[in-house]
Amino acid sequence: MKRRRIVAFSLTLCSTFLSSSTLSALAAPPRTPDQTVDCEILVVGGGLSGVATAYEGLLAGRTVCLTEITDWVGGQISAQGTSALDERPTQRLQLFYSRGYLELRDRIRRKYRELNPGDCWVSDSCFLPRDGHRILSDMLNNAARKGRGQLKWFPSTAIKELAITPSGGGQIIQSAIAIQHRPAKGAPPLNTEPLSQTIEDAYRYENSPRFEKNILRFVPAKVKGEKKDSLSPTWYVIDATETGELIALADVPYQLGIDARSYLEPSASSATNDPYCTQGFTYTFAMEATREPQTHRMPPFYPQYSGYYSYELSRLASFPLVFTYRRIWSPDEGEPMEFGGVKFTAPAPRDISMQNWTWGNDFRPGTAADNLIYTRNQLQATGQLKPGGWMGGLRTESLRKAEEIAQGYFYWLVAGITDSQLGDGVKQPQPNNRYLAGLDSPMGTVHGLSKYPYMREARRIVGRPSWGHPQGFALWEIDISRRDYKDDYYRQTLSADTYRRLKAALAGLETTAVIAGTQSPEQTMRRTRSTIFPDSVGIGHYAIDFHPCMVFSPPERPGNIERPGERRGAGQAYPFQIPLRAMIPQKIDNMLVAGKSIATSHIAAAAYRVHSFEWSAGAAAGTTAAFALEQAIAPYQLVAQLPLREPQLEALQRRLEENGNPTAFPDTSIFNENWESWR
């Protein structure tokens, strides 16, 4: 496979304070940048959304710079190890996905001569993470050749500074400073140490015994042959990071954690905002079934976490079930089995399983003492919003403990005999398994853990005020949920005014049925479809799925419980859309947001987070950036006059559709209320 030269990449973001009255300033790096790199589209974050952004930008003939904190592209399916595609049955049956996602699935099939080489039962496609990186690298290089674009790929690279200046009535990112690292002379290779041991070093300018640093300055490329407008941006910066680093660094308005209970988010577990309770995050690892029992040594930290681990539910209390759940390699077919209503083939020697389990390697902090993603106040308190102070915006100690809980979980699987939720006599040792580690292992690390944790939730922008959204655009629970709000819980828990507003909102969203007389406003307490948006630029479909934070600190504390009420919002969702307004942050005119940091609520974000959604959002970002450069128009101008017609927005939507990037599911219409068959 031909690949462009890869420099080693570790993602960092700049620390800049920006308020309504104060623009961010660059702190002088300790030396002149070693390299100035020009881009038309700077994509920060090489996960699925970032890859999709780059893919469409390259096909549009653009110069795309792509940075990533690890040395693999692919995020969920590679560096984070969750190489099991989360899909819904009907969308999968119809293969109704973005063109790049379809190409990804096709390349997986061609690579293995089947789509599911792991014979897993959670998905129709489970495969090796290292192959996810290789496939996507090839896709990007092929897109550059096909579209005559230019890919500038910067692995092991972190954005450290942003230069933000006034432009017209808003602000733009003029340049970005990044730090790229490689092993220092005599130091071990990258991926020898886990992320918690290296992340702070990756964000420092200075060389260290571990890393040599290359300071990069990203600037706009000179645009030739385009429409000219002195006020329109000449490049676009895309936040496709896993935690919303750029939106924190640029200090645009965003939300984090639980949103307060309201008529828009009636199932929220809190009456007030709680930024510390986000979904659990997970270091995945791979384990291999063996013919002979293996010797396993208890990690010194295991007793600290042993009271946490559990199969969770009686119907899941089967090691073969858990092993095959996300089995990513199965060269030999095992015997048929069934447990808890699930049919699967038993593990066979040489089978490889990737582990991602709620009461296993999920780390689920939920307090100000241990939350992973720092709030704005915490960023200020730690000096990360001062010029030059950005260190990634994460609590390193929580990363370290998440690494330990993951390695401890492997020991529990093979040697543990306790179960925190189901009690004694359930868990039995399973010694015929070994932990896979090494640079040639599925995770590509000496320590065996994924290079970066699988992130289920990030900082989420608050979009710009718009028609129907005076406080800033966002997607909410009631936009997508199939829940029946006639449940007594809502009548009893919501205030009379909030309950009245919920009924009114649902009646308004179901106006067609009310006008047709098929239901009265009083009866309208359940959606028949998701909200249809005039500015849709992408699609997604998944259940509202929670891995709730824990009540007490530390999260592994014996007897700890999940945040009460967090799972109430979980359940089925209708196929949904990705509005352009959800991708446009406030203040910054040349930034777009892709992936998990778009403008969603906490509950909506639990559905807007899986593989095909991330790709669709990235495809929308890449296409929009290329279109905006071509037409000399800023993305916010495409939606400024809604709900009036926006001809240029319609032109963008036509381009997306013509390129094979759907903006709506088949038969989407205010008159089509028959979505129950979509599973």
Side-chain angles (χ1 to χ4, degrees):
M1 177 180 68
K2 293 184 178 179
R3 283 182 291 173
R4 291 179 180 269
R5 175 176 169 268
I6 291 185
V7 194
F9 65 109
S10 126
L11 183 138
T12 310
L13 299 168
C14 166
S15 114
T16 313
F17 173 60
L18 172 66
S19 69
S20 58
S21 59
T22 307
L23 296 179
S24 67
L26 282 171
R31 64 179 188 270
T32 302
D34 301 296
Q35 184 180 357
T36 297
V37 184
D38 62 331
C39 326
E40 292 178 293
I41 304 173
L42 170 60
V43 184
V44 181
L48 281 178
S49 202
V51 170
T53 302
Y55 177 88
E56 291 296 337
L58 293 167
L59 286 173
R62 297 295 170 176
T63 299
V64 178
C65 301
L66 176 61
T67 73
E68 160 63 24
I69 193 166
T70 74
D71 55 352
W72 280 359
V73 288
Q76 289 193 51
I77 70 166
S78 57
Q80 296 171 38
T82 50
S83 50
L85 301 181
D86 287 318
E87 299 171 344
R88 292 285 85 185
T90 305
Q91 187 178 13
R92 181 172 59 224
L93 182 66
Q94 296 192 18
L95 290 178
F96 201 75
Y97 299 110
S98 304
R99 62 175 172 178
Y101 187 80
L102 288 172
E103 181 182 346
L104 168 63
R105 294 175 98 257
D106 183 60
R107 283 176 178 260
I108 293 169
R109 189 188 301 275
R110 282 188 278 148
K111 163 72 179 175
Y112 297 106
R113 294 188 174 87
E114 60 179 315
L115 190 59
N116 190 6
D119 192 24
C120 65
W121 57 267
V122 71
S123 169
D124 269 16
S125 183
C126 292
F127 51 93
L128 298 169
R130 65 188 180 214
D131 288 334
H133 162 68
R134 292 165 180 165
I135 288 170
L136 290 173
S137 295
D138 196 43
M139 284 178 60
L140 287 175
N141 290 324
N142 185 62
R145 290 190 294 269
K146 184 177 180 180
R148 297 186 179 180
Q150 183 179 9
L151 174 64
K152 300 180 180 181
W153 167 232
F154 296 90
S156 306
T157 299
I159 302 297
K160 181 69 174 175
E161 307 266 1
L162 295 177
I164 300 175
T165 60
S167 177
Q171 297 155 9
I172 62 169
I173 298 172
Q174 286 276 36
S175 64
I177 299 292
I179 305 168
Q180 186 177 52
H181 65 260
R182 62 182 180 272
K185 185 176 181 180
L190 298 179
N191 303 304
T192 298
E193 299 174 283
L195 182 65
S196 68
Q197 302 302 305
T198 62
I199 189 170
E200 293 182 10
D201 195 349
Y203 281 91
R204 294 192 179 103
Y205 283 119
E206 299 78 17
N207 291 329
S208 70
R210 179 187 290 116
F211 294 144
E212 289 182 3
K213 314 289 178 64
N214 193 40
I215 301 177
L216 307 169
R217 181 170 180 260
F218 292 104
V219 299
K222 292 182 179 180
V223 181
K224 298 178 181 179
E226 311 282 357
K227 293 183 179 180
K228 301 297 182 182
D229 184 335
S230 60
L231 297 180
S232 66
T234 57
W235 75 328
Y236 283 90
V237 179
I238 315 297
D239 186 344
T241 63
E242 299 300 323
T243 59
E245 289 192 58
L246 286 189
I247 64 178
L249 186 54
D251 204 16
V252 301
Y254 62 86
Q255 291 289 96
L256 184 61
I258 298 171
D259 298 288
R261 192 177 301 122
S262 71
Y263 74 96
L264 298 169
E265 193 93 343
S267 301
S269 63
S270 176
T272 58
N273 293 341
D274 185 344
Y276 308 115
C277 180
T278 58
Q279 293 223 38
F281 65 100
T282 310
Y283 278 100
T284 59
F285 60 85
M287 58 191 293
E288 182 182 39
T290 61
R291 293 188 185 280
E292 302 297 329
Q294 306 294 302
T295 299
H296 300 104
R297 293 184 179 179
M298 179 190 294
F301 48 77
Y302 179 74
Q304 178 180 347
Y305 303 100
S306 61
Y308 173 78
Y309 304 121
S310 174
Y311 283 133
E312 184 175 3
L313 301 171
S314 296
R315 62 180 175 84
L316 302 176
S318 160
F319 177 81
L321 182 95
V322 172
F323 185 96
T324 58
Y325 177 58
R326 292 178 183 268
R327 180 171 48 191
I328 56 178
W329 179 245
S330 182
D332 302 309
E333 188 170 350
E335 294 296 321
M337 289 188 69
E338 182 172 352
F339 188 91
V342 178
K343 294 181 179 180
F344 54 95
T345 57
R350 299 195 299 155
D351 281 6
I352 298 175
S353 172
M354 176 268 291
Q355 287 298 314
N356 174 18
W357 197 255
T358 306
W359 285 88
N361 47 340
D362 274 13
F363 192 64
R364 300 191 279 163
T367 73
D370 53 20
N371 63 309
L372 173 66
I373 303 175
Y374 279 152
T375 66
R376 188 180 186 281
N377 288 341
Q378 289 173 322
L379 291 172
Q380 284 186 301
T382 55
Q384 295 200 50
L385 293 183
K386 294 179 180 178
W390 184 253
M391 296 296 290
L394 303 179
R395 188 188 302 271
T396 305
E397 176 65 5
S398 288
L399 288 174
R400 183 189 68 79
K401 292 187 68 177
E403 291 157 1
E404 289 184 345
I405 206 171
Q407 291 176 322
Y409 175 53
F410 170 76
Y411 184 78
W412 180 82
L413 284 171
V414 297
I417 56 172
T418 61
D419 189 299
S420 67
Q421 304 302 298
L422 301 178
D424 296 336
V426 174
K427 178 64 176 65
Q428 301 298 320
Q430 303 291 333
N432 289 45
N433 293 276
R434 69 185 185 100
Y435 183 83
L436 296 180
L439 295 178
D440 60 348
S441 69
M443 298 298 168
T445 62
V446 172
H447 48 81
L449 298 174
S450 55
K451 301 183 180 205
Y452 197 89
Y454 169 43
M455 302 300 302
R456 295 181 178 86
E457 187 172 356
R459 299 178 183 92
R460 313 179 307 272
I461 62 166
V462 178
R464 300 186 180 206
S466 67
W467 168 69
H469 300 266
Q471 305 304 315
F473 185 86
L475 295 154
W476 295 93
E477 173 190 351
I478 66 170
D479 285 314
I480 64 171
S481 179
R482 299 192 189 208
R483 181 166 297 279
D484 188 341
Y485 294 104
K486 290 198 295 288
D487 188 307
D488 286 344
Y489 167 84
Y490 298 99
R491 189 185 301 273
Q492 296 166 3
T493 304
L494 302 178
S495 69
D497 180 64
T498 301
Y499 190 70
R500 178 189 60 78
R501 296 184 73 184
L502 171 62
K503 290 197 294 184
L506 291 170
L509 292 168
E510 297 294 307
T511 300
T512 306
V514 173
I515 292 174
T518 56
Q519 58 189 40
S520 70
E522 278 296 314
Q523 294 172 325
T524 307
M525 295 303 291
R526 184 174 183 272
R527 301 295 308 271
T528 58
R529 56 169 170 76
S530 63
T531 302
I532 299 172
F533 294 98
D535 56 331
S536 178
V537 288
I539 58 170
H541 190 205
Y542 200 67
I544 302 171
D545 180 38
F546 278 101
H547 292 235
C549 73
M550 305 300 281
V551 170
F552 303 109
S553 178
E556 73 274 11
R557 168 179 162 178
N560 208 348
I561 60 173
E562 295 180 348
R563 175 70 174 260
E566 265 294 88
R567 291 184 185 268
R568 176 168 293 278
Q572 294 303 309
Y574 291 109
F576 48 76
Q577 295 180 320
I578 306 170
L580 181 57
R581 284 170 292 172
M583 302 172 62
I584 301 173
Q586 297 185 31
K587 299 182 179 180
I588 310 295
D589 292 344
N590 67 335
M591 180 192 286
L592 287 169
V593 176
K596 291 180 282 285
S597 287
I598 69 170
T600 60
S601 69
H602 175 64
I603 291 177
Y608 280 83
R609 65 176 178 84
V610 296
H611 305 80
S612 63
F613 150 74
E614 281 211 60
W615 193 283
S616 186
T623 304
T624 300
F627 181 86
L629 288 169
E630 174 191 312
Q631 299 297 320
I633 186 171
Y636 77 89
Q637 295 173 308
L638 296 171
V639 295
Q641 300 302 315
L642 291 177
L644 300 177
R645 278 194 62 196
E646 290 276 14
Q648 287 180 298
L649 170 64
E650 292 171 4
L652 169 63
Q653 292 170 320
R654 283 194 299 273
R655 179 169 301 181
L656 284 161
E657 293 282 353
E658 289 166 0
N659 286 345
N661 294 309
T663 63
F665 282 91
D667 301 320
T668 294
S669 162
I670 61 171
F671 302 107
N672 180 10
E673 298 167 357
N674 183 24
W675 291 91
E676 294 302 322
S677 61
W678 275 79
R679 296 169 46 241

